[in-house]
């Protein structure tokens, strides 16, 4: 994520949070591409009418290079890329509110 010979390295960030529960697979996702394309998706079946049961909200916009640079700065300052995700849970396991592991 540094500038080399006047060219920006490729920068891509994706944020996903979701779960499988009473209302099925629900999630929210943001994705920012190097060209400034910002995509958003939200799949929630909570309090939807039967005819909208399978509708997913999707939005897409382009943001300025200044916004991309600011997101890069936030990610770099957070040092999240220095973390090791070896022990992160997989889709096959999740944790209950009391911290107990359960298989799905």
């Amino acid at each position: 994520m540094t500038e080399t010979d006047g060219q920006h390295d490729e920068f891509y960030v994706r944020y996903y949070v979701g779960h499988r529960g009473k209302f099925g697979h629900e999630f929210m996702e943001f994705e920012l591409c190097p060209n400034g394309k910002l995509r958003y998706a939200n799949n929630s079946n909570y309090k939807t009418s039967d005819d909208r049961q399978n509708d997913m909200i999707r939005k897409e916009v382009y943001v300025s290079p200044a916004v991309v640079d600011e997101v890069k700065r936030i990610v770099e300052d957070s040092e999240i890329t220095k973390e090791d995700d070896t022990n992160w849970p997989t889709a096959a396991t999740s944790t209950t509110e009391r911290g107990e592991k359960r298989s799905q």
Side-chain angles (χ1 to χ4, degrees):
M1 286 188 282
T2 59
E3 197 168 320
T4 322
D5 298 325
Q7 297 292 324
H8 287 282
D9 288 340
E10 292 294 303
F11 175 77
Y12 172 83
V13 66
R14 178 177 176 246
Y15 174 79
Y16 168 92
V17 61
H19 69 276
R20 290 188 191 280
K22 179 177 168 181
F23 300 104
H25 181 209
E26 298 185 301
F27 67 88
M28 180 176 61
E29 176 180 40
F30 293 91
E31 178 183 56
L32 180 60
C33 299
N35 65 354
K37 184 192 311 183
L38 175 64
R39 297 189 325 167
Y40 166 79
N42 187 331
N43 185 39
S44 175
N45 298 320
Y46 179 70
K47 289 191 175 184
T48 57
S49 63
D50 289 335
D51 60 331
R52 291 196 46 207
Q53 191 69 19
N54 294 321
D55 286 353
M56 184 183 318
I57 300 168
R58 293 178 188 264
K59 302 292 180 184
E60 186 176 301
V61 298
Y62 282 86
V63 297
S64 71
V67 172
V68 175
D69 288 343
E70 181 62 12
V71 173
K72 282 184 195 178
R73 186 196 64 74
I74 291 168
V75 170
E76 287 172 347
D77 287 355
S78 75
E79 298 185 348
I80 189 74
T81 57
K82 294 180 181 177
E83 296 299 322
D84 180 7
D85 63 357
T86 303
N87 295 320
W88 285 10
T90 63
T93 60
S94 66
T95 306
T96 65
E97 286 182 17
R98 289 182 276 163
E100 303 162 339
K101 278 196 156 185
R102 67 174 180 212
S103 292
Q104 293 185 350

